[in-house]
Amino acid sequence: MKMEYRRLGTSGLKLSVLSFGSWVTFGSQLDDDLAMESMTAARDAGVNFFDNAESYGGGDSERIMGRVLANLGWARSSYVVSTKVFWGLSEQVNMSNTLNRKYLLQAVDGCLDRFGLDFVDLLFCHRSDPETPVEETVWAMHDIVSAGKALYWGTSEWPGEALIEAYEICDRHHLRRPTMEQPQYNLFNRARVEQEYRPIIERHGLGLTTWSPLASGQLSGKYLDGIPEGSRGALEGYEWLRSSLTDRGRNGKLRELKSIAAELDCTMAQLAIAWCARNPLVSTVITGASRPSQVVENMESLGVLSRLDDEIIVRIEAASS
Ligand code: NDP
């Protein structure tokens, strides 16, 4: 199984089609040693992109990833690392739930400090901010990239119209345009990528780094008989996820997916991840794992890609919609 590297939209940057992110896990399920084992397993499979965010683990996720990268001693040119800013690390006015210039310029310095890096490759506005003009945010992101603190900037879950406004402002003022967006994309959540963003991707060359390919683990089938111990659904602080993880309608659909996976001789998780990666609009599928063995299993989705012919895709999509 050879890793495929895809361009991030129309940029020249190439990302492994499967990547690895640290949400929930770094700091709560994975300590430094397990994070190192997981990142090493991902890298061994060809992963070159590692996703993070300021808010993950209250800043600990960036600290752990930074220490792991330093300990592994990988050449800085050999990996792409991201972070995302918006929620902030305190509730202080101007420092949380905002994309104002003051926050953005200070937040990126905090991220670099926690990572122990001079720059991040990708910097995302983690959500949109209706209380800051898009123009103010675009100028701040342009300045951060111009200062060399991030190489490319993008958005996460921005409404399509805010993205279009950002492109218009960039074109008017010759500013650095958003290169990528980070939306949720999986068999249960398709509309934003396939409908809302498709025309923007086609017109502006936006790249997609998509998240939650397993819908927080549900598409692995692990919640078919309730919430297993040690799963995300059992974690304190993630009670809000439980009703969708155990939703009967959704889990009913999974039973058909389970038999398709059996026919293809793969696990449900591999089937769900390969389905995301099969979409050419997707530059990279950010996978997550609470243990290294899941990384190994998920990376083997690469071998399932070639088994997804048109007929199987029709069946998978009929089963999950
Ligand atoms: P998934 O939907 O793939 O869920 C990953 C979780 O599912 C794991 O932590 C693990 O949880 C479980 N799991 C993974 N593999 C398997 C397997 N083979 N068998 C059984 N269970 C499995 O992805 P995430 O929700 O973690 O999202 C991936 C990344 O996307 C994040 O790390 C983050 O970088 C990014 N992200 C970005 C967001 C944004 O707003 N921009 C939002 C959310 C994520 P467990 O074992 O504990 O059950």
Side-chain angles (χ1 to χ4, degrees):
M1 270 172 326
K2 219 168 163 290
M3 181 61 77
E4 176 191 342
Y5 297 88
R6 286 189 193 163
R7 285 172 69 189
L8 181 59
T10 49
S11 81
L13 187 70
K14 288 188 178 167
L15 301 184
S16 48
V17 68
L18 301 184
S19 44
F20 184 62
S22 61
W23 180 53
V24 180
T25 55
F26 279 35
S28 63
Q29 293 169 298
L30 297 173
D31 60 13
D32 282 36
D33 287 345
L34 284 171
M36 183 177 304
E37 237 185 277
S38 301
M39 286 175 66
T40 301
R43 166 108 158 182
D44 287 348
V47 166
N48 74 344
F49 168 42
F50 298 89
D51 184 62
N52 215 316
E54 175 195 50
S55 58
Y56 294 172
D60 282 345
S61 175
E62 290 174 326
R63 288 188 192 95
I64 292 173
M65 194 175 274
R67 285 195 296 268
V68 168
L69 288 168
N71 286 335
L72 286 167
W74 297 339
R76 184 66 186 88
S77 56
S78 69
Y79 63 86
V80 170
V81 71
S82 72
T83 196
K84 305 188 277 290
V85 288
F86 169 71
W87 280 291
L89 290 175
S90 77
E91 292 188 358
Q92 195 190 318
V93 66
N94 287 325
M95 286 294 133
S96 63
N97 301 324
T98 182
L99 294 176
N100 72 36
R101 180 177 180 83
K102 176 173 171 57
Y103 164 73
L104 289 172
L105 282 135
Q106 291 193 219
V108 71
D109 285 343
C111 295
L112 295 179
D113 192 45
R114 284 185 294 279
F115 270 125
L117 293 174
D118 298 331
F119 66 93
V120 287
D121 300 273
L122 311 183
L123 180 66
F124 293 86
C125 296
H126 211 155
R127 287 295 180 268
S128 63
D129 171 16
E131 295 191 326
T132 298
V134 173
E135 183 154 353
E136 178 175 338
T137 299
V138 165
W139 270 103
M141 297 305 276
H142 169 86
D143 288 342
I144 288 169
V145 173
S146 298
K149 294 180 180 184
L151 305 186
Y152 302 82
W153 80 273
T155 58
S156 180
E157 299 286 356
W158 274 30
E161 62 267 26
L163 264 173
I164 290 167
E165 189 183 344
Y167 281 119
E168 284 168 1
I169 292 163
C170 291
D171 290 349
R172 202 175 319 132
H173 299 287
H174 302 289
L175 302 178
R176 292 177 196 275
R177 308 169 98 229
T179 301
M180 66 284 170
E181 161 56 40
Q182 188 168 129
Q184 179 172 193
Y185 186 56
N186 55 53
L187 278 163
F188 290 146
N189 294 280
R190 301 173 51 185
R192 180 154 252 179
V193 165
E194 295 177 9
Q195 289 156 33
E196 187 177 355
Y197 289 161
R198 179 185 287 276
I200 305 176
I201 293 167
E202 287 168 358
R203 169 130 194 244
H204 295 285
L206 184 68
L208 297 185
T209 68
T210 62
W211 56 269
S212 283
L214 300 180
S216 271
Q218 186 171 27
L219 284 156
S220 73
K222 72 198 301 175
Y223 296 100
L224 281 171
D225 301 310
I227 298 185
E229 234 177 89
S231 66
R232 182 177 294 179
L235 290 178
E236 215 184 299
Y238 292 86
E239 295 79 6
W240 54 275
L241 267 177
R242 285 183 199 151
S243 58
S244 70
L245 292 174
T246 54
D247 182 83
R248 280 185 182 206
R250 279 188 167 198
N251 283 331
K253 293 170 183 172
L254 291 183
R255 295 190 196 275
E256 172 60 15
L257 286 175
K258 193 174 178 179
S259 60
I260 300 176
E263 264 177 60
L264 293 179
D265 196 22
C266 67
T267 66
M268 291 176 71
Q270 290 166 343
L271 180 74
I273 291 170
W275 176 86
C276 298
R278 179 193 162 272
N279 186 337
L281 299 178
V282 173
S283 311
T284 182
V285 178
I286 313 174
T287 64
S290 67
R291 57 209 77 165
S293 59
Q294 289 175 350
V295 179
V296 173
E297 175 183 338
N298 296 344
M299 291 303 143
E300 284 170 4
S301 311
L302 284 171
V304 179
L305 263 172
S306 60
R307 287 176 239 164
L308 299 185
D309 60 25
D310 291 348
E311 188 215 319
I312 291 281
I313 289 293
V314 169
R315 285 177 56 204
I316 292 173
E317 295 183 355
S320 57
S321 55

